[in-house]
Amino acid sequence: MGGKEVMQNFLERAREINEETLAHRRELHQHPETGMNLPETADRVEGWLKEIGLEPKRYTPFGVTALIEGKKPGKTILLRADMDALPMKEDNSLPFQSTTDKAAHCCGHDMHTAMLLSAAKMLNENKDELCGRVLLVFQPGEESFQGSKAMIDQGLLEDYKPDAALAMHVMLDGPAGGICYGEGGISSSCDGFKITIKGKGSHGAMPQLGVDPINVGMHIYQAFQELISREVPPLAPAVLTFGEFSAGNTPNIIPEQAVLQGTLRTYDRELREKLCRRMKEIVEFTTRAFGAEAEYEALSNVPTAFNDPGMLSAMLSYIDALGYDFYKIPNYKITPSDDFGFISEKVPSVYFMLCAKTAGNNFPHHNSKVIFSEEALPFGAAIHAQCAFNWLRDHAE
């Protein structure tokens, strides 16, 4: 079975089973769940996997996996979809709106899950020709950056030792029929932090008797900004933002403490390590210089989702053989983060963005009015299946 023939068959088959894909997507859309607690979603996905002849396994209470074992020996490729919704109310005209006002799929994870389910069906139908294994991963808690790491911590990668990984996210850069990609970091890392500065309270008229945590916080704030302007190479993107600076509640009292919270985002692994180290050094030495104390707390530590250049080139060649003229947006990066980064720092990976903009709907991700184009579903399912099948074929033992 040649590569091009398989490519065309997978797209044709994805279109043949698209009503099933749509049904999965719409049922998930109507019953969204958030965070790590996805009991109904996990049960549904597990049930659908059993219907196509697979044996699902849980990592964390609500992370679902299944293994497709080919009849021919080979390597293992991991395909990942996130399943969680957002804690918000949906506001659009879809006939399959969320049945709750506490959660909604306004980031497209219902699309991701439905596409991977259909890819699983197609790959399982072709397991006699499959060289190696396909590990399906349906994860909770992407929005909270918990799910991928939790599944890894429970042994996911050690148990299966995947040789490659692939994921996709629906994006709004154009109508269905397009893909976005880039080498190296494609989503930014995210290092959230909280700095609690402990000073010494005193009367505002006698500052010499206290240690002003607001003053210390101002120096830390300024030094962090100078990290970006003076220690980051001009052509290396990095964003450092403070979202909270709070202290005191009375104009004539120096407070006991101040709290700063913010995030650092970049695409470069080495630069990220340097900046995180320097931030902690600045907090330590600045508070010491002013006679204060500080606690630095890491709120998140999500690495960039990193596209392996060689693997990306191979995957693009498989997509080119599909028989469909996808429009492409290369050199692509997104500033939001994705916890697929925890997988890509351990396994050679590719993370594609799949265009799914609905004409006339100009709302972004995480907006209550956003509507993703379901025309993207067969493309996503076919790309998942075809890239997995052909990568395994090309790396057969």
Side-chain angles (χ1 to χ4, degrees):
M1 186 178 283
K4 185 166 184 177
E5 179 186 357
V6 173
M7 279 284 189
Q8 293 172 335
N9 285 346
F10 275 130
L11 182 55
E12 292 167 6
R13 182 62 177 147
R15 287 169 170 157
E16 290 173 359
I17 64 172
N18 194 46
E19 287 302 314
E20 185 176 323
T21 314
L22 285 168
H24 290 334
R25 187 261 168 151
R26 294 176 181 182
E27 184 167 347
L28 292 166
H29 194 91
Q30 285 185 297
H31 302 93
E33 295 174 304
T34 62
M36 294 291 288
N37 188 34
L38 312 181
E40 292 185 18
T41 303
D43 285 349
R44 284 188 172 90
V45 169
E46 196 171 66
W48 290 329
L49 291 170
K50 289 178 179 178
E51 286 179 7
I52 62 177
L54 300 178
E55 299 178 1
K57 179 180 177 181
R58 296 285 183 103
Y59 283 80
T60 77
F62 305 115
V64 182
T65 67
L67 189 66
I68 302 173
E69 299 203 52
K71 298 296 185 183
K72 301 178 181 180
K75 295 186 180 298
T76 301
I77 186 168
L78 181 157
L79 303 181
R80 174 268 206 172
D82 39 17
M83 304 185 292
D84 55 321
L86 290 160
M88 60 188 294
K89 183 178 180 179
E90 187 173 14
D91 181 20
N92 55 47
S93 58
L94 291 175
F96 48 90
Q97 276 189 8
S98 170
T99 56
T100 174
D101 60 3
K102 296 181 180 179
H105 274 292
C106 295
C107 197
H109 295 187
D110 54 333
M111 301 271 287
H112 305 163
T113 301
M115 292 187 298
L116 187 52
L117 284 165
S118 289
K121 180 171 184 172
M122 293 187 290
L123 287 166
N124 199 48
E125 290 172 345
N126 287 271
K127 64 183 178 182
D128 286 351
E129 297 297 324
L130 189 66
C131 303
R133 309 187 303 171
V134 178
L135 174 61
L136 308 164
V137 176
F138 298 86
Q139 73 153 82
E142 188 283 319
E143 296 291 352
S144 59
F145 303 143
Q146 295 175 285
S148 180
K149 189 173 187 302
M151 295 181 77
I152 292 171
D153 288 347
Q154 287 197 4
L156 175 69
L157 300 183
E158 284 300 314
D159 291 345
Y160 295 100
K161 294 180 170 50
D163 302 286
L166 173 67
M168 279 186 278
H169 201 298
V170 289
M171 295 302 286
L172 300 168
D173 298 88
I179 54 171
C180 313
Y181 57 90
E183 291 186 0
I186 188 168
S187 72
S188 71
S189 59
C190 181
D191 289 279
F193 58 86
K194 179 180 180 180
I195 304 166
T196 303
I197 304 166
K198 300 175 183 178
K200 182 180 178 182
S202 69
H203 195 293
M206 295 179 284
Q208 76 280 6
L209 300 179
V211 177
D212 186 354
I214 297 176
N215 180 48
V216 179
M218 289 296 295
H219 280 80
I220 291 173
Y221 181 98
Q222 186 64 34
F224 273 32
Q225 301 309 311
E226 290 173 356
L227 277 177
I228 302 300
S229 65
R230 286 294 173 266
E231 297 193 31
V232 173
L235 299 181
V239 175
L240 203 164
T241 298
F242 282 93
E244 179 187 356
F245 191 149
S246 59
N249 51 27
T250 304
N252 67 338
I253 298 176
I254 292 176
E256 290 284 336
Q257 73 173 33
V259 176
L260 292 79
Q261 293 195 75
T263 62
L264 167 70
R265 296 175 188 263
T266 185
Y267 300 94
D268 186 284
R269 290 171 171 174
E270 293 183 1
L271 179 60
R272 177 193 176 213
E273 291 177 4
K274 172 189 173 181
L275 290 175
C276 287
R277 173 177 53 81
R278 291 289 290 123
M279 287 158 60
K280 293 175 184 177
E281 290 174 350
I282 287 170
V283 171
E284 178 186 353
F285 293 121
T286 303
T287 53
R288 187 185 302 175
F290 286 96
E293 297 179 357
E295 178 185 357
Y296 185 102
E297 180 183 357
L299 303 178
S300 59
N301 63 338
V302 184
T304 181
F306 189 88
N307 278 348
D308 178 88
M311 186 174 167
L312 175 63
S313 177
M315 295 300 184
L316 288 171
S317 72
Y318 305 145
I319 292 172
D320 285 342
L322 249 171
Y324 183 87
D325 186 19
F326 286 94
Y327 67 90
K328 298 175 182 176
I329 304 177
N331 304 315
Y332 189 87
K333 295 182 184 295
I334 59 171
T335 52
S337 305
D338 191 297
D339 74 350
F340 183 65
F342 287 114
I343 293 174
S344 73
E345 72 175 352
K346 298 179 181 297
V347 181
S349 299
V350 169
Y351 190 29
F352 282 123
M353 304 297 163
L354 186 70
C355 292
K357 181 178 175 60
T358 296
N361 186 274
N362 297 315
F363 300 99
H365 291 76
H366 292 217
N367 186 286
S368 62
K369 296 181 182 293
V370 69
I371 297 175
F372 298 97
S373 172
E374 293 183 327
E375 292 179 11
L377 291 172
F379 293 129
I383 290 171
H384 260 314
Q386 191 55 4
C387 285
F389 186 98
N390 283 275
W391 188 89
L392 289 172
R393 177 204 61 195
D394 289 349
H395 295 81
E397 297 178 350

PDB file of all heavy atoms in Angstrom, residues 9-29:
ATOM      1  N   ASN A   9      -6.812   7.585   0.599  1.00  0.00           N
ATOM      2  CA  ASN A   9      -7.818   6.744   1.225  1.00  0.00           C
ATOM      3  C   ASN A   9      -8.242   7.278   2.586  1.00  0.00           C
ATOM      4  O   ASN A   9      -9.410   7.224   2.945  1.00  0.00           O
ATOM      5  CB  ASN A   9      -7.293   5.312   1.367  1.00  0.00           C
ATOM      6  CG  ASN A   9      -7.274   4.570   0.041  1.00  0.00           C
ATOM      7  OD1 ASN A   9      -7.883   5.015  -0.929  1.00  0.00           O
ATOM      8  ND2 ASN A   9      -6.556   3.473  -0.009  1.00  0.00           N
ATOM      9  N   PHE A  10      -7.291   7.783   3.357  1.00  0.00           N
ATOM     10  CA  PHE A  10      -7.633   8.297   4.672  1.00  0.00           C
ATOM     11  C   PHE A  10      -8.526   9.535   4.574  1.00  0.00           C
ATOM     12  O   PHE A  10      -9.451   9.696   5.360  1.00  0.00           O
ATOM     13  CB  PHE A  10      -6.376   8.623   5.483  1.00  0.00           C
ATOM     14  CG  PHE A  10      -5.809   7.447   6.214  1.00  0.00           C
ATOM     15  CD1 PHE A  10      -4.459   7.135   6.111  1.00  0.00           C
ATOM     16  CD2 PHE A  10      -6.611   6.641   7.014  1.00  0.00           C
ATOM     17  CE1 PHE A  10      -3.922   6.048   6.786  1.00  0.00           C
ATOM     18  CE2 PHE A  10      -6.091   5.548   7.689  1.00  0.00           C
ATOM     19  CZ  PHE A  10      -4.746   5.249   7.576  1.00  0.00           C
ATOM     20  N   LEU A  11      -8.264  10.408   3.621  1.00  0.00           N
ATOM     21  CA  LEU A  11      -9.116  11.582   3.482  1.00  0.00           C
ATOM     22  C   LEU A  11     -10.501  11.183   2.983  1.00  0.00           C
ATOM     23  O   LEU A  11     -11.520  11.681   3.475  1.00  0.00           O
ATOM     24  CB  LEU A  11      -8.474  12.599   2.532  1.00  0.00           C
ATOM     25  CG  LEU A  11      -9.262  13.897   2.355  1.00  0.00           C
ATOM     26  CD1 LEU A  11      -9.537  14.579   3.692  1.00  0.00           C
ATOM     27  CD2 LEU A  11      -8.511  14.851   1.413  1.00  0.00           C
ATOM     28  N   GLU A  12     -10.524  10.267   2.026  1.00  0.00           N
ATOM     29  CA  GLU A  12     -11.819   9.797   1.539  1.00  0.00           C
ATOM     30  C   GLU A  12     -12.602   9.114   2.656  1.00  0.00           C
ATOM     31  O   GLU A  12     -13.807   9.317   2.810  1.00  0.00           O
ATOM     32  CB  GLU A  12     -11.614   8.829   0.367  1.00  0.00           C
ATOM     33  CG  GLU A  12     -11.068   9.483  -0.884  1.00  0.00           C
ATOM     34  CD  GLU A  12     -10.592   8.470  -1.910  1.00  0.00           C
ATOM     35  OE1 GLU A  12     -10.808   7.257  -1.679  1.00  0.00           O
ATOM     36  OE2 GLU A  12      -9.996   8.885  -2.921  1.00  0.00           O
ATOM     37  N   ARG A  13     -11.917   8.299   3.431  1.00  0.00           N
ATOM     38  CA  ARG A  13     -12.582   7.598   4.529  1.00  0.00           C
ATOM     39  C   ARG A  13     -13.054   8.574   5.602  1.00  0.00           C
ATOM     40  O   ARG A  13     -14.146   8.402   6.164  1.00  0.00           O
ATOM     41  CB  ARG A  13     -11.623   6.567   5.131  1.00  0.00           C
ATOM     42  CG  ARG A  13     -12.221   5.738   6.251  1.00  0.00           C
ATOM     43  CD  ARG A  13     -13.397   4.925   5.785  1.00  0.00           C
ATOM     44  NE  ARG A  13     -13.914   4.084   6.854  1.00  0.00           N
ATOM     45  CZ  ARG A  13     -15.197   3.752   7.001  1.00  0.00           C
ATOM     46  NH1 ARG A  13     -16.102   4.180   6.135  1.00  0.00           N
ATOM     47  NH2 ARG A  13     -15.576   2.968   8.012  1.00  0.00           N
ATOM     48  N   ALA A  14     -12.265   9.606   5.870  1.00  0.00           N
ATOM     49  CA  ALA A  14     -12.674  10.611   6.851  1.00  0.00           C
ATOM     50  C   ALA A  14     -13.954  11.304   6.426  1.00  0.00           C
ATOM     51  O   ALA A  14     -14.824  11.618   7.255  1.00  0.00           O
ATOM     52  CB  ALA A  14     -11.553  11.632   7.035  1.00  0.00           C
ATOM     53  N   ARG A  15     -14.083  11.520   5.145  1.00  0.00           N
ATOM     54  CA  ARG A  15     -15.317  12.142   4.645  1.00  0.00           C
ATOM     55  C   ARG A  15     -16.490  11.161   4.739  1.00  0.00           C
ATOM     56  O   ARG A  15     -17.622  11.558   5.032  1.00  0.00           O
ATOM     57  CB  ARG A  15     -15.110  12.607   3.208  1.00  0.00           C
ATOM     58  CG  ARG A  15     -14.224  13.852   3.113  1.00  0.00           C
ATOM     59  CD  ARG A  15     -13.804  14.143   1.701  1.00  0.00           C
ATOM     60  NE  ARG A  15     -13.161  15.458   1.587  1.00  0.00           N
ATOM     61  CZ  ARG A  15     -12.328  15.794   0.615  1.00  0.00           C
ATOM     62  NH1 ARG A  15     -12.039  14.910  -0.341  1.00  0.00           N
ATOM     63  NH2 ARG A  15     -11.795  16.997   0.577  1.00  0.00           N
ATOM     64  N   GLU A  16     -16.211   9.876   4.505  1.00  0.00           N
ATOM     65  CA  GLU A  16     -17.276   8.874   4.592  1.00  0.00           C
ATOM     66  C   GLU A  16     -17.842   8.761   6.013  1.00  0.00           C
ATOM     67  O   GLU A  16     -19.038   8.539   6.184  1.00  0.00           O
ATOM     68  CB  GLU A  16     -16.750   7.506   4.148  1.00  0.00           C
ATOM     69  CG  GLU A  16     -16.461   7.394   2.668  1.00  0.00           C
ATOM     70  CD  GLU A  16     -15.774   6.078   2.302  1.00  0.00           C
ATOM     71  OE1 GLU A  16     -15.519   5.273   3.214  1.00  0.00           O
ATOM     72  OE2 GLU A  16     -15.505   5.874   1.109  1.00  0.00           O
ATOM     73  N   ILE A  17     -16.987   8.906   7.014  1.00  0.00           N
ATOM     74  CA  ILE A  17     -17.434   8.742   8.399  1.00  0.00           C
ATOM     75  C   ILE A  17     -17.657  10.086   9.092  1.00  0.00           C
ATOM     76  O   ILE A  17     -17.762  10.154  10.323  1.00  0.00           O
ATOM     77  CB  ILE A  17     -16.434   7.895   9.213  1.00  0.00           C
ATOM     78  CG1 ILE A  17     -15.087   8.601   9.338  1.00  0.00           C
ATOM     79  CG2 ILE A  17     -16.267   6.513   8.601  1.00  0.00           C
ATOM     80  CD1 ILE A  17     -14.116   7.913  10.293  1.00  0.00           C
ATOM     81  N   ASN A  18     -17.768  11.148   8.303  1.00  0.00           N
ATOM     82  CA  ASN A  18     -17.842  12.487   8.899  1.00  0.00           C
ATOM     83  C   ASN A  18     -19.104  12.690   9.734  1.00  0.00           C
ATOM     84  O   ASN A  18     -19.084  13.452  10.713  1.00  0.00           O
ATOM     85  CB  ASN A  18     -17.755  13.562   7.819  1.00  0.00           C
ATOM     86  CG  ASN A  18     -17.486  14.938   8.420  1.00  0.00           C
ATOM     87  OD1 ASN A  18     -16.620  15.087   9.280  1.00  0.00           O
ATOM     88  ND2 ASN A  18     -18.242  15.932   7.981  1.00  0.00           N
ATOM     89  N   GLU A  19     -20.201  12.028   9.377  1.00  0.00           N
ATOM     90  CA  GLU A  19     -21.409  12.172  10.194  1.00  0.00           C
ATOM     91  C   GLU A  19     -21.168  11.653  11.611  1.00  0.00           C
ATOM     92  O   GLU A  19     -21.672  12.213  12.585  1.00  0.00           O
ATOM     93  CB  GLU A  19     -22.580  11.413   9.543  1.00  0.00           C
ATOM     94  CG  GLU A  19     -23.143  12.094   8.296  1.00  0.00           C
ATOM     95  CD  GLU A  19     -23.620  13.514   8.580  1.00  0.00           C
ATOM     96  OE1 GLU A  19     -24.321  13.708   9.606  1.00  0.00           O
ATOM     97  OE2 GLU A  19     -23.285  14.421   7.797  1.00  0.00           O
ATOM     98  N   GLU A  20     -20.379  10.602  11.713  1.00  0.00           N
ATOM     99  CA  GLU A  20     -20.024  10.068  13.024  1.00  0.00           C
ATOM    100  C   GLU A  20     -19.123  11.049  13.779  1.00  0.00           C
ATOM    101  O   GLU A  20     -19.290  11.278  14.982  1.00  0.00           O
ATOM    102  CB  GLU A  20     -19.307   8.737  12.848  1.00  0.00           C
ATOM    103  CG  GLU A  20     -18.973   8.011  14.127  1.00  0.00           C
ATOM    104  CD  GLU A  20     -18.350   6.656  13.866  1.00  0.00           C
ATOM    105  OE1 GLU A  20     -18.765   5.976  12.892  1.00  0.00           O
ATOM    106  OE2 GLU A  20     -17.438   6.282  14.625  1.00  0.00           O
ATOM    107  N   THR A  21     -18.179  11.646  13.055  1.00  0.00           N
ATOM    108  CA  THR A  21     -17.305  12.649  13.668  1.00  0.00           C
ATOM    109  C   THR A  21     -18.126  13.832  14.177  1.00  0.00           C
ATOM    110  O   THR A  21     -17.910  14.326  15.296  1.00  0.00           O
ATOM    111  CB  THR A  21     -16.252  13.146  12.658  1.00  0.00           C
ATOM    112  OG1 THR A  21     -15.667  12.040  11.979  1.00  0.00           O
ATOM    113  CG2 THR A  21     -15.171  13.941  13.357  1.00  0.00           C
ATOM    114  N   LEU A  22     -19.055  14.283  13.346  1.00  0.00           N
ATOM    115  CA  LEU A  22     -19.925  15.392  13.743  1.00  0.00           C
ATOM    116  C   LEU A  22     -20.738  15.043  14.987  1.00  0.00           C
ATOM    117  O   LEU A  22     -20.884  15.864  15.895  1.00  0.00           O
ATOM    118  CB  LEU A  22     -20.875  15.747  12.600  1.00  0.00           C
ATOM    119  CG  LEU A  22     -20.278  16.509  11.411  1.00  0.00           C
ATOM    120  CD1 LEU A  22     -21.276  16.513  10.249  1.00  0.00           C
ATOM    121  CD2 LEU A  22     -19.916  17.935  11.804  1.00  0.00           C
ATOM    122  N   ALA A  23     -21.254  13.831  15.022  1.00  0.00           N
ATOM    123  CA  ALA A  23     -22.072  13.414  16.164  1.00  0.00           C
ATOM    124  C   ALA A  23     -21.252  13.417  17.447  1.00  0.00           C
ATOM    125  O   ALA A  23     -21.717  13.876  18.505  1.00  0.00           O
ATOM    126  CB  ALA A  23     -22.662  12.033  15.904  1.00  0.00           C
ATOM    127  N   HIS A  24     -20.014  12.910  17.376  1.00  0.00           N
ATOM    128  CA  HIS A  24     -19.137  12.924  18.547  1.00  0.00           C
ATOM    129  C   HIS A  24     -18.871  14.358  18.997  1.00  0.00           C
ATOM    130  O   HIS A  24     -18.968  14.686  20.179  1.00  0.00           O
ATOM    131  CB  HIS A  24     -17.808  12.228  18.228  1.00  0.00           C
ATOM    132  CG  HIS A  24     -17.918  10.749  18.055  1.00  0.00           C
ATOM    133  ND1 HIS A  24     -18.906   9.990  18.638  1.00  0.00           N
ATOM    134  CD2 HIS A  24     -17.129   9.875  17.360  1.00  0.00           C
ATOM    135  CE1 HIS A  24     -18.740   8.721  18.317  1.00  0.00           C
ATOM    136  NE2 HIS A  24     -17.672   8.623  17.543  1.00  0.00           N
ATOM    137  N   ARG A  25     -18.531  15.196  18.028  1.00  0.00           N
ATOM    138  CA  ARG A  25     -18.208  16.583  18.365  1.00  0.00           C
ATOM    139  C   ARG A  25     -19.399  17.283  19.026  1.00  0.00           C
ATOM    140  O   ARG A  25     -19.248  17.987  20.031  1.00  0.00           O
ATOM    141  CB  ARG A  25     -17.787  17.325  17.098  1.00  0.00           C
ATOM    142  CG  ARG A  25     -17.264  18.738  17.379  1.00  0.00           C
ATOM    143  CD  ARG A  25     -18.285  19.836  17.158  1.00  0.00           C
ATOM    144  NE  ARG A  25     -17.805  21.100  17.718  1.00  0.00           N
ATOM    145  CZ  ARG A  25     -18.125  22.286  17.257  1.00  0.00           C
ATOM    146  NH1 ARG A  25     -18.920  22.392  16.204  1.00  0.00           N
ATOM    147  NH2 ARG A  25     -17.684  23.381  17.851  1.00  0.00           N
ATOM    148  N   ARG A  26     -20.569  17.103  18.479  1.00  0.00           N
ATOM    149  CA  ARG A  26     -21.732  17.819  18.998  1.00  0.00           C
ATOM    150  C   ARG A  26     -22.172  17.296  20.363  1.00  0.00           C
ATOM    151  O   ARG A  26     -22.613  18.078  21.208  1.00  0.00           O
ATOM    152  CB  ARG A  26     -22.870  17.751  17.973  1.00  0.00           C
ATOM    153  CG  ARG A  26     -22.527  18.518  16.706  1.00  0.00           C
ATOM    154  CD  ARG A  26     -23.575  18.398  15.613  1.00  0.00           C
ATOM    155  NE  ARG A  26     -23.150  19.143  14.429  1.00  0.00           N
ATOM    156  CZ  ARG A  26     -23.870  19.261  13.320  1.00  0.00           C
ATOM    157  NH1 ARG A  26     -25.062  18.658  13.224  1.00  0.00           N
ATOM    158  NH2 ARG A  26     -23.397  19.975  12.294  1.00  0.00           N
ATOM    159  N   GLU A  27     -22.029  16.002  20.580  1.00  0.00           N
ATOM    160  CA  GLU A  27     -22.372  15.483  21.911  1.00  0.00           C
ATOM    161  C   GLU A  27     -21.400  16.011  22.954  1.00  0.00           C
ATOM    162  O   GLU A  27     -21.799  16.390  24.061  1.00  0.00           O
ATOM    163  CB  GLU A  27     -22.366  13.952  21.901  1.00  0.00           C
ATOM    164  CG  GLU A  27     -22.818  13.370  23.240  1.00  0.00           C
ATOM    165  CD  GLU A  27     -23.121  11.885  23.174  1.00  0.00           C
ATOM    166  OE1 GLU A  27     -23.234  11.342  22.062  1.00  0.00           O
ATOM    167  OE2 GLU A  27     -23.250  11.270  24.254  1.00  0.00           O
ATOM    168  N   LEU A  28     -20.121  16.052  22.609  1.00  0.00           N
ATOM    169  CA  LEU A  28     -19.139  16.609  23.527  1.00  0.00           C
ATOM    170  C   LEU A  28     -19.397  18.095  23.759  1.00  0.00           C
ATOM    171  O   LEU A  28     -19.267  18.594  24.880  1.00  0.00           O
ATOM    172  CB  LEU A  28     -17.725  16.419  22.966  1.00  0.00           C
ATOM    173  CG  LEU A  28     -17.212  14.978  22.908  1.00  0.00           C
ATOM    174  CD1 LEU A  28     -15.971  14.892  22.032  1.00  0.00           C
ATOM    175  CD2 LEU A  28     -16.917  14.454  24.312  1.00  0.00           C
ATOM    176  N   HIS A  29     -19.780  18.796  22.703  1.00  0.00           N
ATOM    177  CA  HIS A  29     -20.029  20.230  22.812  1.00  0.00           C
ATOM    178  C   HIS A  29     -21.204  20.524  23.743  1.00  0.00           C
ATOM    179  O   HIS A  29     -21.181  21.509  24.490  1.00  0.00           O
ATOM    180  CB  HIS A  29     -20.307  20.826  21.429  1.00  0.00           C
ATOM    181  CG  HIS A  29     -20.241  22.313  21.398  1.00  0.00           C
ATOM    182  ND1 HIS A  29     -19.086  23.004  21.102  1.00  0.00           N
ATOM    183  CD2 HIS A  29     -21.183  23.257  21.653  1.00  0.00           C
ATOM    184  CE1 HIS A  29     -19.319  24.305  21.171  1.00  0.00           C
ATOM    185  NE2 HIS A  29     -20.589  24.485  21.495  1.00  0.00           N
TER     186      HIS A  29
END
